[in-house]
Amino acid sequence: MDVVDSHLHLWALATPGHEWPTAGTPTLHRDFAMADLREATDSTPLAGAVLVQSQPTDADTDWMLAVAAQEPLVLGVVGWVDLSAPEAPLRIAELADRPKLCGLRPMLQAIDDSEWLLRDDLVPAIEAMVAHDLRLDALVEPRHLPMLARFADRWPRLSIVIDHAAKPQVSDAARDPWWDAIAELAGRGLHCKLSGLRTGELPAPSTGELAALIEHLVVNFGDRLMWGSDWPVLTLSGDTYAAWLDEAAGLADLFGASREQLFGRSARRFYALGDVT
């Protein structure tokens, strides 16, 4: 099984504007480069990956694109743009011409206003994303899901993927509004990433605690569900890259998911990475 990881990060602390991780998260407070990724994935069948922004800066996006330009393993880059800036459409047009840029991710989880994405001053930037066929990674929490449904209705030509399944509280997901809201978004045709579920609450949820939640995602999203490692943030749970890959594969098999779709074809198709059959 060749794996396409739909969601991982690299960063260099010296990049201008770097905000996180800080020294308060010592496990992650260092540079993570391609050499570190290769070491972490040495025992796995990783065939390619989507590199996702971790900083709300243009410098981070430019740095990732420079890394990707020299690295065949990076199939696509999800960058960041200040969507509220007057110059955002020009910046988006410039980035769209860069090899491997396939999407953008505003850091919605860090914005207090859960309705921020619906602001009128973002319309020119969203229009530019649609015009340049860029995807939107929705870094959201359960509080954002009603807004995201309205946003998706407003922008039907914009392809949207929900990062980390919207970060539900796994231990209480069945009693959380997330349960119905995520299914409603699946019904609207959105995509979703099976990622980040082990680090949303610590200590990390067990395989048994994850099972019902993953079954819900498999049933509702089907071939629009894609696996992501969220490496190196994944390591906060104590997991290795290979351990999370094996756990996700086992649970996906249990609930009848297609390994080919979950671990490769869904991400390739959504991000237009090629080689989809």
Side-chain angles (χ1 to χ4, degrees), residues 1-8 41 44-50 161 164 192-197 214 222-231 234 240-250 252 258-267 271:
M1 179 181 69
D2 287 340
V3 171
V4 174
D5 187 339
S6 72
H7 197 106
L8 58 76
T41 61
T44 70
L46 182 64
V50 177
V161 63
H164 313 321
C192 186
K193 292 186 181 181
L194 181 58
S195 62
L197 300 179
I214 291 178
D223 290 350
R224 287 174 286 115
L225 187 65
M226 62 189 79
W227 180 82
S229 67
D230 197 26
W231 182 91
L234 167 74
T240 64
Y241 193 104
W244 167 233
L245 178 61
D246 288 345
E247 180 177 8
S258 163
R259 280 199 179 196
E260 289 78 11
Q261 296 292 338
L262 181 63
F263 294 102
R265 291 181 186 171
S266 180
Y271 287 115

Side-chain angles (χ1 to χ4, degrees), residues 20-90:
W20 186 89
T22 66
T25 313
T27 303
L28 300 179
H29 192 242
R30 65 175 181 86
D31 292 352
F32 281 88
M34 287 303 304
D36 300 292
L37 176 63
R38 286 196 167 85
E39 181 179 356
T41 61
D42 182 59
S43 64
T44 70
L46 182 64
V50 177
L51 180 56
V52 180
Q53 64 84 223
S54 60
Q55 313 300 317
T57 66
D58 292 330
D60 179 59
T61 297
D62 291 336
W63 178 82
M64 289 191 300
L65 288 168
V67 170
Q70 303 297 321
E71 180 49 62
L73 194 63
V74 177
L75 303 179
V77 172
V78 175
W80 177 90
V81 168
D82 180 358
L83 299 181
S84 66
E87 63 274 14
L90 290 176

Side-chain angles (χ1 to χ4, degrees), residues 33-217:
M34 287 303 304
D36 300 292
L37 176 63
R38 286 196 167 85
E39 181 179 356
T41 61
D42 182 59
S43 64
T44 70
L46 182 64
V50 177
L51 180 56
V52 180
Q53 64 84 223
S54 60
Q55 313 300 317
T57 66
D58 292 330
D60 179 59
T61 297
D62 291 336
W63 178 82
M64 289 191 300
L65 288 168
V67 170
Q70 303 297 321
E71 180 49 62
L73 194 63
V74 177
L75 303 179
V77 172
V78 175
W80 177 90
V81 168
D82 180 358
L83 299 181
S84 66
E87 63 274 14
L90 290 176
R91 171 66 170 166
I92 290 168
E94 172 200 334
L95 288 173
D97 283 338
R98 302 277 294 275
K100 299 188 179 180
L101 194 283
C102 57
L104 297 175
R105 183 171 86 150
M107 302 191 78
L108 300 175
Q109 69 173 13
I111 298 173
D112 289 338
D113 180 7
S114 299
E115 307 281 307
W116 182 86
L117 200 56
L118 298 175
R119 284 172 30 170
D120 290 341
D121 60 334
L122 273 59
V123 168
I126 304 300
E127 288 177 337
M129 290 183 65
V130 173
H132 292 284
D133 197 27
L134 296 178
R135 283 69 174 149
L136 176 76
D137 266 56
L139 179 60
V140 294
E141 298 171 337
R143 65 186 171 97
H144 296 99
L145 297 185
M147 175 279 295
L148 192 58
R150 300 197 300 278
F151 178 83
D153 290 344
R154 183 177 297 182
W155 298 99
R157 294 174 54 209
L158 180 66
S159 297
I160 302 170
V161 63
I162 303 166
D163 287 355
H164 313 321
K167 298 191 169 184
Q169 290 296 302
V170 176
S171 60
D172 197 37
R175 292 180 294 279
D176 193 284
W178 171 91
W179 198 260
D180 293 326
I182 200 77
E184 182 179 346
L185 289 169
R188 280 175 160 80
L190 274 67
H191 289 64
C192 186
K193 292 186 181 181
L194 181 58
S195 62
L197 300 179
R198 300 301 305 279
T199 54
E201 51 191 300
L202 298 174
S206 66
T207 301
E209 289 174 317
L210 286 178
L213 186 149
I214 291 178
E215 180 181 21
H216 190 60
L217 296 174

